[in-house]
Amino acid sequence: MIRHHRASTAIALACAVAGAGLVGCEEASTADSKPSASASAAGGADEAAEMASFTGTKKIKVEGRSVNVSCSGSPVEGRPVVVLLHGGGDGLDKLAGFQKTLGEKDRTCSYDRLGAGASDQPDGPQTLEDGGKVLTAVLDQVAGDAPVVLAGHSLGGLIAARYAPDHQDKVKGLVLMDATSPTQSADLSKEIPESATGMAVDLREQTLAILRGESPEKLVVPDGEVRSAGNIPVEVIQHGKQYLAAVPEYGPDLERAWSDGQQKWLAISGDSELSTAGNSEHYIYVDEPDVAVAAIERVVSKAAG
């Protein structure tokens, strides 16, 4: 995440801090998000069953937009489907190896959000509610009637945590891997004041712009309170290597604020736990995949009851 010149370092750190970065550090077939009215009940059921068990990569249609999805592994009776949410500036390709490993035990899927990877571009600025509609359509197709565990990295973690409280009938567990803080804009504005100079200014300005929707996803990410998703199992994993300390003068405070943000996410459930991946920077599932895999498998097992 740390690069060789001041500007590129600030951009790389903005990717991490915002979770909606500027850099992301099989031929598809098409399926409609809903069966056509002319499809027979049996045909629609067969199509849904096929979609909920396919492996590989497909393009699906969501409200007229093409969304790229990928799945590994077969459905396991009694166990939720794992759905991975990538960080900002990334796509499902970044998660491919991680998804394959998880798919050896549980059906695991991922998707490119609009404006990311091989999915269509959004028509304009997106809200979290807009993104939630796309996620719902993806879950309906790749998981069918099965419950899901959402595992999100960075911005993907924030999206998963914002989505779960309104979809407790479907989301039965969460794993948040260095998720963007629920109060990221306020945190950054507080820790890097207007009087700051140098790299810190670049970091603050670029990150706040990203959170206002000035990124390929055009996703506007406002600060907000952490809402409860009930007592579903939740594991929050934070990075252990203090890479944000690379920001002169303000680095230690940024690290503290990031850790505070991870603590805030614990309020999402009465059954939440926080752990630290000691040998990881921001990309925990890349630096310490075994840690992330173990956390997801624990949450899936708890959710399966």
Side-chain angles (χ1 to χ4, degrees), residues 111 126-136 159 163 219:
Y111 73 107
Q126 297 191 85
T127 65
L128 288 172
E129 290 74 19
D130 295 331
K133 291 177 182 178
V134 175
L135 177 53
T136 295
I159 292 171
Y163 181 86
L219 182 64

Side-chain angles (χ1 to χ4, degrees), residues 25 68 70 100 102 110 122 174 190 195 232 234-235 257 259 286:
C25 311
N68 192 43
S70 173
K100 182 178 179 181
L102 289 163
S110 58
L174 291 171
K190 176 183 177 183
S195 59
I232 62 173
V234 175
E235 291 211 21
S259 183
V286 174

Side-chain angles (χ1 to χ4, degrees), residues 62 81 83-85 111 113 127-144 146-152 154-176 179-180 182 219 221-222 224-230 232 234 265 268:
V62 178
V81 174
V83 177
L84 306 175
L85 284 77
Y111 73 107
R113 294 187 294 274
T127 65
L128 288 172
E129 290 74 19
D130 295 331
K133 291 177 182 178
V134 175
L135 177 53
T136 295
V138 170
L139 298 184
D140 286 346
Q141 294 202 47
V142 303
V148 300
V149 165
L150 300 180
S154 196
L155 174 62
L158 181 146
I159 292 171
R162 294 291 193 214
Y163 181 86
D166 294 326
H167 298 85
Q168 296 180 44
D169 57 330
K170 189 71 171 178
V171 181
K172 301 303 180 183
L174 291 171
V175 178
L176 309 181
T180 301
L219 182 64
V221 186
E225 296 292 326
V226 176
R227 296 181 297 126
S228 173
I232 62 173
V234 175
W265 284 125
I268 199 169

Side-chain angles (χ1 to χ4, degrees), residues 79-85 95 97-109 148-153 172-177 233-237 275 284-286 288-304:
R79 289 176 70 85
V81 174
V82 177
V83 177
L84 306 175
L85 284 77
L95 295 160
F98 186 56
Q99 175 178 305
K100 182 178 179 181
T101 298
L102 289 163
E104 293 173 1
K105 185 170 184 179
D106 292 296
R107 178 165 171 76
T108 305
C109 301
V148 300
V149 165
L150 300 180
H153 168 250
K172 301 303 180 183
L174 291 171
V175 178
L176 309 181
M177 298 175 283
V234 175
E235 291 211 21
V236 178
I237 314 172
S275 63
I284 293 169
Y285 67 90
V286 174
E288 290 190 86
D290 291 348
V291 170
V293 168
I296 291 171
E297 290 183 348
R298 284 193 298 269
V299 169
V300 170
S301 294
K302 281 186 178 181

Side-chain angles (χ1 to χ4, degrees), residues 41-67:
D46 289 344
E47 183 180 352
E50 180 181 354
M51 186 64 191
S53 62
F54 90 95
T55 57
T57 303
K58 284 181 180 284
K59 293 285 185 67
I60 65 173
K61 288 293 184 181
V62 178
E63 296 184 352
R65 312 299 289 176
S66 180
V67 176

